Amino acid sequence: MLKEIAEGVLVHQSEFIQSNSLVVQGREGVLLIDPGITAAEMASLAEDLHGLGQQVVAGFSTHPDWDHVLWHPDFGHPPRYGTARCADSIQGVLKRADWRELVAEGLPPEHAHQIPMELLGLISGLPADAAEIPWDGPTVRILEHQGHAPGHAGLLIEERGVLVAGDMLSDTLMPFLDLQAEDPITDYLAGLRLFESVADDVSLVVPGHGSVGVGQLRARIAQDRSYVEALRDGRAADDPRVSPGAPLEWLADVHQWQVQQLAEKGRG
């Protein structure tokens, strides 16, 4: 299931909209970033790690969307981290008596019965000023911003030149804005600028969904920026990810929904 993309950095891609889980090898075990999606996939991932003689010593969720805060008992019970805002967001959901029903509304019907809910969202928020993930392995810098979701974090594995982008910089999905935020467009553009600030140190970019980009970081930033600026300016988005020939037909409907929501937000 695992493909090595850089020294000690491996990726598993789910069939569910090309969701990427990342494994970073440390001195005593591995850091597991955004594991998922189905119980069977996660059990197989745990088995592969066991076969490599690796235990999970830490987990990290890049943001609070359901498909990035999953876990499986076979990974063990190491500390699972997220930014403070990320943890606050998912904990706010879990405090609700109807949280299972609330999360279930967003699950893909074809996979809903395969997604384990028992350990969903049980992450600890790092201090607000945390610059790195606390673990015994390569330095993993936290690039927090508010584009896409509260407390969204990109992760820069400095020694390997790998940027984990969370749900941004995908070659298959256009930007999904956090439409609950006060100024979602400004937030998203700020996130892209933050990624751009480390571009000289990045050779590989791993989006939450889609293919690993080799030497493509600046091009992917430019594509996402063009899309968001089109939304801001009220122009048609010239973006193959939302065109009639896009691989995922439903993205065009999501795009139109974002346009409508932003228009209503502007009128409000």
Side-chain angles (χ1 to χ4, degrees):
M1 295 181 71
L2 289 166
K3 176 182 179 181
E4 187 169 43
I5 59 171
E7 181 184 351
V9 181
L10 304 97
V11 173
H12 166 253
Q13 189 170 88
S14 170
E15 293 182 2
F16 172 68
I17 54 175
Q18 294 180 273
S19 298
N20 292 313
S21 299
L22 209 73
V23 171
V24 186
Q25 294 180 337
R27 281 172 279 278
E28 301 296 332
V30 304
L31 168 66
L32 183 54
I33 303 168
D34 291 350
I37 295 293
T38 68
E41 284 178 337
M42 287 188 277
S44 293
L45 176 54
E47 184 177 352
D48 284 354
L49 291 173
H50 179 74
L52 293 172
Q54 299 284 343
Q55 64 174 336
V56 180
V57 296
F60 191 90
S61 293
T62 57
H63 60 288
D65 289 353
W66 68 265
D67 53 329
H68 294 261
V69 293
L70 297 169
W71 200 254
H72 193 279
D74 289 355
F75 296 143
H77 301 282
R80 296 165 56 190
Y81 301 117
T83 65
R85 288 188 179 184
C86 172
D88 286 346
S89 179
I90 190 60
Q91 287 165 11
V93 173
L94 296 178
K95 288 177 181 177
R96 294 182 48 154
D98 63 342
W99 75 264
R100 287 178 178 268
E101 291 78 11
L102 185 67
V103 171
E105 291 177 0
L107 300 180
E110 68 274 23
H111 294 297
H113 67 288
Q114 303 170 321
I115 296 170
M117 306 279 274
E118 291 74 18
L119 301 176
L120 181 146
L122 302 181
I123 64 174
S124 299
L126 293 172
D129 60 350
E132 302 173 0
I133 295 178
W135 82 301
D136 189 18
T139 299
V140 182
R141 284 178 54 194
I142 300 170
L143 306 175
E144 181 181 356
H145 57 91
Q146 306 313 313
H148 180 71
H152 191 284
L155 300 174
L156 177 60
I157 309 168
E158 292 186 320
E159 299 167 36
R160 307 294 184 254
V162 175
L163 175 66
V164 183
D167 269 2
M168 298 173 69
L169 306 181
S170 171
D171 59 334
T172 57
L173 305 183
M174 79 291 186
F176 283 39
L177 278 61
D178 179 8
L179 296 171
Q180 302 302 313
E182 182 176 345
D183 193 344
I185 286 179
T186 296
D187 287 347
Y188 210 100
L189 292 174
L192 293 176
R193 287 195 298 273
L194 183 58
F195 289 154
E196 198 166 39
S197 72
V198 300
D200 288 344
D201 301 319
V202 174
S203 55
L204 296 169
V205 58
V206 184
H209 307 275
S211 63
V212 175
V214 181
Q216 296 179 6
L217 177 57
R218 293 186 188 278
R220 292 199 182 187
I221 291 171
Q223 185 176 41
D224 276 6
R225 179 178 287 137
S226 177
Y227 175 87
V228 175
E229 289 178 344
L231 292 180
R232 179 195 65 191
D233 300 339
R235 296 182 281 107
D238 182 17
D239 193 310
R241 297 170 293 185
V242 297
S243 69
L248 299 173
E249 296 179 359
W250 51 271
L251 288 179
D253 293 333
V254 176
H255 165 64
Q256 291 301 325
W257 178 78
Q258 289 200 124
V259 170
Q260 179 183 355
Q261 293 296 306
L262 288 168
E264 293 178 0
K265 195 176 186 71
R267 289 195 292 269

